[in-house]
Every structure is written in C-alpha cells, then in structure tokens.
Amino acid sequence: MKTNFATKPQWFIITVIGGKEKSIITNIVDRLNTYGYYGVDKPVREIKIIEHLETLKKLYNSDDASLPKNLTNTKTTSWKTLPNGKYEKTITHVTNKFPSYIFINMIYDLDIWYVIRNTGGVLGFIGSSGKGAKPTPISLTQYESALVTNISKKESEFNRGYQLNTSVTINSGAFAGEVGLIKANTDDGVKVEVNAFGRKQDIDVKHGEFSLTEEKK
C-alpha cells in the first residue's frame, strides 16, 4: 500500500504501558525512521507526552520543628527568607500530565498504524475498538486544551476522610473542571476516577484542589 502524503496530519492518542512512555516514544520513532515515516515533512510529524509543571509552596516559622537546619537550594527546591522570621519553600516538579497516553501528530495510514501498534509497550489507539477499526483523531480544540498548565498552590493540612463514590469537582491541576468519583482516601487527598479521552483513570487529588459536587452552587 502506498502512503498518502497529501492528507493533513491530525492528533491521535496512543495508550501505552504506564511509566514507560518516554522509552516507548523512542522505540516508535526508531521504527518509523526505518520506513522513512518520521519527520517535519513526513506523514508522522510529532510524538510526545504532555508535561505538567507543578509548583508547591509551603511557609515555615523560624521555630517550626520541621524547618530543616540547612536551607539548601536544588534544581527542584528553592528557599526564600521572608519578613517576620518566616521562610518559604518552593518545590517545582514536572510530571506526565496524562500517564499512559502518548500524543501523535500524523497522517492516518494503515501501514503507519501497523508499525506503531506493533511496537513493544503500545496497547492501542484511542477510538479504535480493535479488529481493524480505524482510530479516531482528537480535535485541535481538545489537543490545545490538553497542553501544559503551570499550577502554583499553597500546601494545606487536612485530616478529613470522604465517603467512597462521592462525586467531586476538581478545581485545579491537569484535570481542573472534571467531575469524578472518590475511590480512595490518601494521606494528603483522595483518588478520583475520571474519564480521560473515553478511558477511566484514577488520579491523585490533594486536599484543597477539589470540592464536593453537591456543595457547588
């Protein structure tokens, strides 16, 4: 089959083994390069995970027992001395915004689809039920809304447990605006089950980043 290079590329989502997204991308690119399918002027233009930058800030008093003796700055942690004997700790870390998902901008073609879905670690395409069913691309609007959101927040202390299967609305982070069900209580929040691109996924949401749906006016 001859690849159709004239079609406009679209964004598709690949489901993969969680925690191995970057190595799987490398393997996909290697396989596509073997056939000359990958590049800015090729049918497969870009393969990526969407990263999420999160900044967590916490205030300490000078007499706080948990305040470290050495306020050392690192690549991910910085300290600032504030008035009135206070200190501010800022932790910045980058995570995969959508674990187990890889975004790929490509021109759909049976040969290319075959190469990708037969790469180790690839589980399938969103929108494809298997048995040769063509995968469904996401819209440009969906792709743009999925792009990185930088979140800055203040750490809070809560000791509240929530009833399982309680409906909540996520107020910040990668899934802000999504409604889901509480599936477990954690040390610093809850696990919420949400639908991401047609697939159920449990995500960790910290206290202060969600509200009970029935409490929203």
Side-chain angles (χ1 to χ4, degrees):
M1 176 180 177
K2 185 177 180 180
T3 302
N4 179 7
F5 292 91
T7 308
K8 183 177 180 180
Q10 296 173 291
W11 283 101
F12 294 81
I13 300 176
I14 308 170
T15 57
V16 300
I17 295 174
K20 298 184 176 181
E21 294 89 349
K22 291 186 177 180
S23 63
I24 292 171
I25 287 176
T26 298
N27 292 337
I28 292 174
V29 170
D30 287 345
R31 284 173 56 81
L32 290 173
N33 279 331
T34 300
Y35 297 95
Y37 288 153
Y38 185 72
V40 293
D41 58 347
K42 304 294 184 179
V44 181
R45 307 293 170 82
E46 187 177 4
I47 306 175
K48 65 193 294 185
I49 62 172
I50 294 180
E51 293 183 326
H52 174 62
L53 175 64
E54 183 175 85
T55 303
L56 175 65
K57 295 181 182 292
K58 183 175 181 179
L59 289 176
Y60 293 84
N61 291 316
S62 58
D63 59 353
D64 193 326
S66 63
L67 178 68
K69 293 182 178 179
N70 298 316
L71 308 183
T72 305
N73 292 329
T74 67
K75 290 182 178 180
T76 58
T77 303
S78 63
W79 289 90
K80 180 189 295 185
T81 302
L82 303 176
N84 302 320
K86 294 183 181 295
Y87 300 89
E88 182 182 74
K89 178 183 180 181
T90 301
I91 301 175
T92 302
H93 56 99
V94 178
T95 60
N96 184 357
K97 186 175 180 182
F98 301 104
S100 300
Y101 291 110
I102 290 174
F103 290 72
I104 179 167
N105 188 235
M106 71 177 195
I107 297 167
Y108 173 76
D109 176 271
L110 283 175
D111 290 344
I112 296 172
W113 183 30
Y114 180 83
V115 170
I116 294 172
R117 65 190 174 92
N118 284 284
T119 301
V122 173
L123 304 178
F125 275 75
I126 292 292
S128 174
S129 58
K131 299 180 180 179
K134 180 179 177 180
T136 303
I138 62 173
S139 68
L140 184 59
T141 299
Q142 286 176 307
Y143 170 72
E144 290 176 343
S145 68
L147 292 176
V148 174
T149 301
N150 297 338
I151 300 298
S152 179
K153 60 192 179 183
K154 296 289 182 66
E155 185 175 280
S156 301
E157 294 287 341
F158 291 86
N159 293 306
R160 182 179 179 185
Y162 291 89
Q163 184 176 351
L164 300 187
N165 294 315
T166 297
S167 179
V168 298
T169 299
I170 300 172
N171 297 323
S172 63
F175 292 88
E178 294 289 336
V179 176
L181 299 178
I182 294 176
K183 292 301 178 182
N185 287 282
T186 63
D187 291 340
D188 58 355
V190 294
K191 283 189 178 294
V192 179
E193 181 185 82
V194 299
N195 283 309
F197 304 105
R199 180 184 176 192
K200 289 183 178 180
Q201 178 177 340
D202 287 345
I203 62 170
D204 290 314
V205 185
K206 291 183 173 57
H207 291 299
E209 296 182 356
F210 66 91
S211 56
L212 300 182
T213 302
E214 58 265 31
E215 290 181 352
K216 293 180 71 67
K217 302 299 182 182

